């Protein structure tokens, strides 16, 4: 994998006045990976993608695309990028072919190379029959395909997609997701979304953002709920004070649920049930419930992006 590094991002930062829209991002993208930038609205996804695509300057940080520093050699580095902004930049009065010819020329392709590239991307994006249709008369799904076709005309190794499925109906969603999955096999794809399900379907890797900071970065498989901090529900007729439970080994936090029930948070894989049973017996807590609480990927995402101290 090491030789297939397509993008390296180090300490990327961008402020708008007092707002740190992007705050110290670090990640690497390899060929064959689809990286989902996931986070609620305002988390910094679009700002990050605009910087990576070379249309917005960062305040600090380094971006190397296919071995070329984006800030030192922007023209060369940008040739290795295909960027689909949201909404896709289309001229409604042009036909699909005209639109693609125009983009191909902007990408610097010769007339002959443009013709070949357009045939290739139309086939790839399911647009072969649509060449003469007016862009403005097509559905949102088709417009998104044209946007994608424009982004890959020059066959860039890195494809950057800002909310590629925003506003699509379920059938269009499926088509575009399939297309993204197919593209990510040969390229490196970075896409943004606020939908966890989208990342689960289309991405191999995820970078979760919260108020501009990355709160998780890695393979999606590693975000396995079993590897996460766990919870144990405990019910007792004569419970001890919460402070006693909070001091138990491996317990990191205690929620008092009322009526003798508590949720004990513990480190990954370190269930404290044995010590609870032993102490309950020795101290007469009269234990009537001891249930490990399963944590879904959705809950992990929620905990990472929202509930850490500022759930308002
Ligand atoms: P996302 O794409 O995750 O919704 P954005 O990157 O659009 O997040 O925004 C991140 C933060 O930066 C937000 O707080 C937003 O209000 C702020 N922001 C984005 N663009 C601008 C701008 N042009 N001027 C001032 N603040 C901005």
């Amino acid at each position: 994998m090491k030789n297939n590094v397509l993008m390296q991002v180090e300490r990327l930062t961008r402020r708008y006045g007092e707002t740190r829209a992007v705050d110290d991002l670090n990640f690497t993208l390899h060929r064959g990976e689809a990286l989902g930038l996931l986070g609620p609205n305002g988390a910094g996804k679009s700002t990050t993608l605009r910087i990576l695509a070379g249309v917005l300057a960062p305040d600090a940080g380094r971006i190397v695309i296919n071995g070329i520093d984006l800030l030192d050699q922007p023209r060369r580095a940008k040739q290795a990028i295909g960027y689909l902004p949201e909404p896709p930049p289309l001229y409604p009065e042009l036909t699909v072919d005209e639109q693609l010819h125009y983009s191909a020329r902007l990408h610097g392709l010769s007339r002959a190379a443009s013709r070949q590239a357009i045939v290739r991307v139309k086939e790839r994006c399911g647009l072969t029959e649509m060449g003469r249709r007016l862009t403005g008369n097509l559905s949102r799904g088709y417009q998104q395909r044209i946007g994608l076709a424009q982004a890959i005309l020059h066959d860039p190794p890195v494809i950057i997609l800002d909310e590629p499925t925003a506003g699509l109906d379920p059938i269009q969603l499926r088509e575009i997701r399939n297309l993204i999955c197919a593209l990510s096999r040969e390229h490196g794809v970075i896409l943004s979304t606020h939908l966890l399900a989208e990342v689960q379907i289309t991405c191999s890797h995820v970078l979760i953002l919260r108020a501009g900071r990355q709160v998780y970065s890695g393979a999606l498989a590693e975000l396995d709920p079993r590897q996460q901090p766990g919870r144990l529900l405990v019910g007792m007729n004569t419970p001890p004070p919460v402070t006693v439970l909070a001091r138990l080994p491996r317990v990191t936090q205690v929620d008092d649920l009322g009526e003798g029930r508590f949720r004990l948070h513990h480190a990954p894989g370190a269930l404290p049930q044995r010590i609870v049973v032993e102490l309950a017996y020795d101290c007469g807590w009269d234990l009537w419930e001891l249930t490990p609480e399963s944590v879904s990927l959705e809950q992990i995402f929620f905990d990472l992006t929202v509930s850490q101290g500022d759930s308002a």
Side-chain angles (χ1 to χ4, degrees):
M1 264 299 188
K2 271 212 168 79
N3 299 332
N4 273 321
V5 171
L6 291 181
M7 183 183 276
Q8 239 171 325
V9 173
E10 291 166 15
R11 316 221 59 177
L12 198 66
T13 300
R14 166 79 200 202
R15 290 184 204 84
Y16 289 110
E18 292 296 298
T19 308
R20 283 175 178 259
V22 177
D23 192 1
D24 198 16
L25 287 199
N26 297 275
F27 66 87
T28 304
L29 177 76
H30 297 88
R31 190 179 297 277
E33 287 178 358
L35 171 69
L37 280 194
L38 181 63
N41 288 335
K45 303 181 296 294
S46 287
T47 305
T48 304
L49 294 191
R50 294 182 68 216
I51 295 171
L52 299 182
V55 296
L56 183 72
D59 291 324
R62 187 161 176 261
I63 303 160
V64 179
I65 295 166
N66 217 15
I68 305 158
D69 192 307
L70 176 67
L71 302 176
D72 289 347
Q73 301 185 66
R75 281 183 77 100
R76 274 190 67 209
K78 280 199 226 175
Q79 283 167 2
I81 299 169
Y83 175 45
L84 172 63
E86 154 59 21
L90 301 177
Y91 291 99
E93 65 278 19
L94 296 186
T95 65
V96 173
D97 279 343
E98 287 167 344
Q99 179 79 46
L100 292 177
H101 269 289
Y102 177 65
S103 293
R105 301 296 284 168
L106 283 182
H107 281 305
L109 300 184
S110 67
R111 270 184 200 286
S114 298
R115 272 196 294 275
Q116 282 181 7
I118 288 166
V119 170
R120 176 175 55 80
V121 299
K122 280 204 301 189
E123 198 181 328
R124 189 92 220 238
C125 299
L127 292 167
T128 303
E129 308 298 320
M130 312 303 281
R132 295 184 179 185
R133 298 282 301 273
L134 273 186
T135 302
N137 290 344
L138 295 177
S139 67
R140 180 81 175 84
Y142 271 106
Q143 292 186 352
Q144 202 65 352
R145 289 183 199 208
I146 303 168
L148 260 171
Q150 288 190 131
I152 61 172
L153 266 168
H154 55 308
D155 200 20
V158 176
I159 301 170
I160 298 175
L161 310 171
D162 197 355
E163 303 255 0
T165 58
L168 300 185
D169 70 32
I171 295 168
Q172 296 166 340
L173 256 179
R174 210 168 148 156
E175 290 168 355
I176 294 290
R177 283 174 178 166
N178 286 343
L179 188 52
I180 294 169
C181 288
L183 285 171
S184 68
R185 282 183 216 120
E186 297 151 34
H187 305 253
V189 175
I190 301 184
L191 62 88
S192 67
T193 177
H194 56 273
L195 302 173
L196 178 63
E198 180 115 310
V199 168
Q200 287 180 285
I201 292 168
T202 48
C203 297
S204 57
H205 290 70
V206 62
L207 194 155
I208 300 179
L209 290 177
R210 174 170 165 266
R213 291 193 71 88
Q214 71 188 59
V215 289
Y216 178 83
S217 173
L220 199 57
E222 284 165 17
L223 208 56
D224 184 334
R226 285 167 301 187
Q227 306 301 321
Q228 302 303 312
R231 302 137 190 248
L232 186 67
L233 290 176
V234 180
M236 294 163 280
N237 283 326
T238 48
V242 174
T243 48
V244 171
L245 296 174
R247 280 200 302 270
L248 293 178
R250 301 173 192 157
V251 170
T252 53
Q253 186 191 322
V254 178
D255 303 330
D256 188 345
L257 306 176
E259 299 183 349
R261 293 184 78 231
F262 301 87
R263 180 183 291 112
L264 308 188
H265 298 251
H266 59 83
L271 239 67
Q273 80 273 48
R274 190 186 170 118
I275 187 87
V276 171
V277 170
E278 284 172 5
L279 281 174
Y281 182 76
D282 290 347
C283 306
W285 294 344
D286 197 6
L287 188 68
W288 54 266
E289 181 183 10
L290 191 68
T291 319
E293 199 177 46
S294 60
V295 184
S296 66
L297 198 55
E298 249 163 339
Q299 185 63 44
I300 294 168
F301 173 51
F302 182 80
D303 287 348
L304 285 171
T305 55
V306 184
S307 67
Q308 289 177 352
D310 63 351
S311 53

